[in-house]
Amino acid sequence: MPLPKMPTKPAALLSPKEYPKADNTKPAKALKAAPTEKAKPAVAVTQNRKKVSVSESGGASNVSTIVSQVSSPAVSPAVAKKATPAPRITPDHLVAAKAKAAQNPNKSGTSRAADKAGVTKLFVLDTNVLMHDPTSLFRFEEHDVYLPMITLEELDDHKKGMSEVARNARQVSRSLDALVGDIDHHEIEKGIALSKLGNKDAGGHLYFQTKLQIGALPPGLPQGKADNQILGVVRALEQEFPGRPIVLVSKDINMRIKARAMGLPAEDYFNDHVLEDSDLLYSGIVQLPDDFWNKHGKGIETWQENKNGLSSTFYRITGPVIPSLLVNQFVYLEPKNGEASFYGQVRQINGKTAVLQTLRDYGHIKHSVWGITSRNREQNFALNLLMDPECDFVTLLGQAGTGKTLLALAAGLAQVLETKTYNEIIVTRVTVPVGEDIGFLPGTEEEKMSPWMGAFDDNLEVLNKSDNDAGDWGRAATQDLIRSKIKIKSLNFMRGRTFVNKFLIIDEAQNLTPKQVKTLVTRAGPGTKIICLGNIAQIDTPYLTEGSSGLTYVVDRFKGWAHSGHVTLARGERSRLADHASEIL
């Protein structure tokens, strides 16, 4: 804006016409009052003002106009991602974020508002996040990651030992060393690109605490505690970089509660969750609409094939429901007008065309598996998967009493002792106690695992019922034969093994982490079948939830594969007492 016209005589006023007009195309931005230098050392606003000098000579005066030169704030690299300033979060963004809170309750209000405004966030990581998922540094997409110095100290304290936590701490340390290995000390403050090691999904930068940052904490909180020091760093970052959304990420529930009580945004690390809601978990079963045959029966092809000594009917159908189906998914149609029910399994999908195969009725006594028949629709689906030699990986979910263990053991004994499809049955499970631990156990590996295998002993008593005419000697010989074909193994010694022609049953798989499930499933050699059993409502591992369980992980990842199948067992068949207790308790 140009300077106004100089007055012709002292104390003369200029007319409004003589004042220059401001340029409307570039409105002046109002500068907010900057905090004190102690609270905001990284953003410095310098104002150099020239002094006013008034000199009068010959009735005229030369008045030098006050000129204020305000330099642009010197923003730290932790605040500015690029040369262009990031948009600020307005109250409208906060209102829109509250509207979406019900849709995504895991995120804090600040995080939702930042997503609405399109602002990149600065995530301050707690140590337990890194020890829970060592790749969490590269899981925040375009957002930045900030590591306080106390986090590095705690990583150093937990790196010793052979536990999963110690291994994760050492892996994080190796990743950090690779990121900062060739970076100069003065360039660390500018931020290190997280995509440096080849993680293309990580578009943000990594920042370390390179100076002492003291935030005002409520009186009474111990300053020496690690959690409180991290909270102080978050408070100091908010004071240092106002307008930038800064979010604390922690797996510690109490720390998140303290942070929110102090007015700091905090949220859980939910990037490892397979599903946000366990109700959306793939069930493996879908009910066909009542008008299915009317819409899909035109141009249907039907034929019969003999596979593995069994005759099955196949249907090739085309229609709008087909794209929503998955391979090896079970479909059923139970008309209410008295027509025959249809139970099938999807074998092939090609666009809007699918091949359905009819199922074998294991509810009939002549098709019993080791004396066991299915009592409901879901159990019949499960037995079709368990007895299918083309299905290498089976997952069964269900509440207590739905028959998961009994069906798996019966199918294993039938295929090991009768058809000789597999050599032996291997049973393993996670040794997580429900109550107090019973301590060290003497004996061999199988003797140590025997207290955890009470469920299998109970089911073996049911399966050992043989002909009463065989006598005590015959029943004892059968029981010894069955025992010789069942091996009980511990998870601690699974790494490096390869199972060939085995029937592997993993019980209580909901207590496994995704890494542990991967370790077990990758042990499968040629001719091995793996069955995962579990109930995600009974997770005993402290750091697992229904969304992050290894069982949920494999169910979601294996769906649609031609050699895997999944069934969620719905109805309990243990006893009327157990069914009633599961409903009311």
Side-chain angles (χ1 to χ4, degrees):
M1 177 175 165
L3 296 177
K5 182 179 178 181
M6 297 297 296
T8 57
K9 57 183 178 179
L13 298 176
L14 296 177
S15 63
K17 297 181 179 180
E18 293 177 338
Y19 281 95
K21 295 182 179 181
D23 190 2
N24 294 329
T25 59
K26 297 181 180 180
K29 294 183 179 179
L31 292 176
K32 295 184 179 181
T36 60
E37 294 183 358
K38 292 183 179 180
K40 189 178 176 184
V43 182
V45 179
T46 59
Q47 295 183 348
N48 301 325
R49 301 179 181 273
K50 295 182 179 180
K51 294 181 179 180
V52 179
S53 60
V54 180
S55 60
E56 297 183 4
S57 61
S61 66
N62 296 325
V63 181
S64 61
T65 308
I66 301 175
V67 180
S68 298
Q69 298 175 344
V70 181
S71 63
S72 61
V75 184
S76 172
V79 184
K81 284 277 294 180
K82 298 180 181 179
T84 58
R88 288 179 174 271
I89 299 177
T90 63
D92 295 336
H93 296 144
L94 295 174
V95 173
K98 290 181 180 179
K100 289 189 175 182
Q103 301 178 3
N104 195 353
N106 293 321
K107 290 188 176 182
S108 61
T110 301
S111 185
R112 288 191 296 267
D115 293 339
K116 182 69 176 178
V119 185
T120 58
K121 291 167 278 189
L122 181 64
F123 288 105
V124 181
L125 299 190
D126 192 6
T127 315
N128 48 40
V129 176
L130 298 173
M131 293 188 296
H132 174 75
D133 182 8
T135 63
S136 58
L137 284 172
F138 314 102
R139 297 288 186 91
F140 291 94
E141 298 177 346
E142 74 275 10
H143 306 289
D144 297 334
V145 176
Y146 187 93
L147 293 184
M149 196 59 64
I150 190 63
T151 297
L152 301 179
E153 288 286 339
E154 287 190 306
L155 278 177
D156 186 66
D157 293 339
H158 289 87
K159 70 180 182 180
K160 301 178 181 64
M162 297 300 295
S163 63
E164 187 73 17
V165 171
R167 282 193 292 268
N168 291 343
R170 290 192 294 269
Q171 184 176 343
V172 173
S173 300
R174 287 191 292 267
S175 299
L176 293 176
D177 181 62
L179 286 170
V180 303
D182 56 348
I183 300 297
D184 188 46
H185 170 70
H186 302 288
E187 297 180 358
I188 291 182
E189 295 184 358
K190 300 178 182 179
I192 304 169
L194 290 170
S195 59
K196 176 183 175 182
L197 301 181
N199 300 278
K200 297 181 180 179
D201 295 336
H205 288 74
L206 173 65
Y207 297 96
F208 291 95
Q209 182 183 1
T210 57
K211 58 184 177 181
L212 180 62
Q213 291 172 315
I214 301 176
L217 294 178
L221 281 180
Q223 298 292 333
K225 192 175 181 180
D227 290 353
N228 297 336
Q229 292 185 36
I230 295 176
L231 293 175
V233 170
V234 177
R235 173 62 60 83
L237 287 173
E238 280 194 342
Q239 296 173 354
E240 187 175 350
F241 309 128
R244 176 110 196 249
I246 298 172
V247 181
L248 171 66
V249 181
S250 176
K251 297 293 294 182
D252 188 352
I253 297 177
N254 292 329
M255 186 173 181
R256 296 200 301 268
I257 294 175
K258 285 198 297 184
R260 289 172 179 173
M262 294 171 54
L264 301 175
E267 58 190 50
D268 188 11
Y269 176 73
F270 46 85
N271 209 335
D272 60 335
H273 288 198
V274 181
L275 296 173
E276 298 297 337
D277 189 358
S278 61
D279 294 336
L280 303 177
L281 185 62
Y282 172 65
S283 66
I285 305 171
V286 62
Q287 183 179 6
L288 298 176
D290 294 336
D291 58 349
F292 175 77
W293 293 116
N294 295 332
K295 292 185 177 181
H296 300 75
K298 298 179 181 179
I300 188 173
E301 299 180 31
T302 305
W303 70 93
Q304 286 188 343
E305 291 183 7
N306 289 325
K307 286 187 175 182
N308 305 315
L310 302 176
S311 178
S312 300
T313 304
F314 291 83
Y315 300 92
R316 179 176 280 111
I317 57 177
T318 304
V321 178
I322 304 304
S324 62
L325 301 178
L326 294 173
V327 177
N328 277 350
Q329 190 174 25
F330 291 97
V331 295
Y332 71 94
L333 179 60
E334 297 176 345
K336 299 179 181 179
N337 54 7
E339 296 181 0
S341 301
F342 172 74
Y343 302 99
Q345 186 178 12
V346 181
R347 285 302 186 183
Q348 294 179 11
I349 293 181
N350 187 8
K352 291 188 177 181
T353 303
V355 175
L356 303 182
Q357 178 186 359
T358 58
L359 303 178
R360 192 177 190 186
D361 184 16
Y362 287 99
H364 199 280
I365 190 62
K366 68 177 182 179
H367 295 154
S368 64
V369 179
W370 203 261
I372 298 298
T373 57
S374 60
R375 295 188 178 183
N376 54 52
R377 179 181 59 232
E378 289 78 14
Q379 286 190 357
N380 187 40
F381 294 160
L383 282 175
N384 275 273
L385 284 178
L386 293 170
M387 299 300 293
D388 185 4
E390 297 295 326
C391 191
D392 300 332
F393 185 73
V394 179
T395 51
L396 298 180
L397 262 70
Q399 62 181 3
T402 51
K404 304 182 297 294
T405 307
L406 184 65
L407 295 177
L409 265 181
L413 291 174
Q415 295 175 86
V416 169
L417 296 176
E418 292 181 357
T419 63
K420 308 292 184 181
T421 306
Y422 308 101
N423 294 336
E424 62 181 2
I425 301 174
I426 295 180
V427 180
T428 185
R429 63 172 292 178
V430 187
T431 54
V432 179
V434 178
E436 293 293 332
D437 200 349
I438 60 177
F440 293 101
L441 300 173
T444 62
E445 179 185 357
E446 292 201 6
E447 291 174 347
K448 291 176 183 292
M449 291 292 296
S450 58
W452 306 99
M453 294 301 169
F456 284 90
D457 294 335
D458 299 339
N459 287 278
L460 281 178
E461 291 181 6
V462 178
L463 296 174
N464 282 343
K465 292 180 180 179
S466 59
D467 190 4
N468 294 328
D469 297 335
D472 294 338
W473 287 100
R475 285 191 293 270
T478 303
Q479 188 171 357
D480 290 341
L481 177 62
I482 291 175
R483 288 285 184 181
S484 66
K485 293 296 183 180
I486 298 179
K487 304 295 182 183
I488 300 175
K489 300 296 180 183
S490 174
L491 285 175
N492 299 332
F493 310 107
M494 287 294 184
R495 193 179 297 274
R497 298 196 61 181
T498 301
F499 299 113
V500 181
N501 293 330
K502 308 295 184 184
F503 194 87
L504 178 59
I505 300 177
I506 305 173
D507 195 23
E508 304 294 340
Q510 76 273 3
N511 290 324
L512 292 170
T513 64
K515 282 189 174 183
Q516 290 173 329
V517 170
K518 180 181 177 181
T519 301
L520 289 175
V521 176
T522 53
R523 301 303 100 209
T528 293
K529 189 185 189 80
I530 296 181
I531 293 90
C532 287
L533 314 174
N535 178 16
I536 58 175
Q538 294 181 344
I539 296 179
D540 302 318
T541 306
Y543 302 108
L544 287 182
T545 61
E546 295 181 357
S548 62
S549 171
L551 185 57
T552 308
Y553 178 71
V554 292
V555 169
D556 185 71
R557 294 300 177 93
F558 273 93
K559 64 181 180 183
W561 187 45
H563 300 285
S564 69
H566 168 71
V567 172
T568 299
L569 302 174
R571 197 172 69 187
E573 299 289 349
R574 179 169 290 167
S575 66
R576 58 189 179 189
L577 173 60
D579 295 342
H580 186 64
S582 63
E583 292 177 1
I584 66 171
L585 298 181

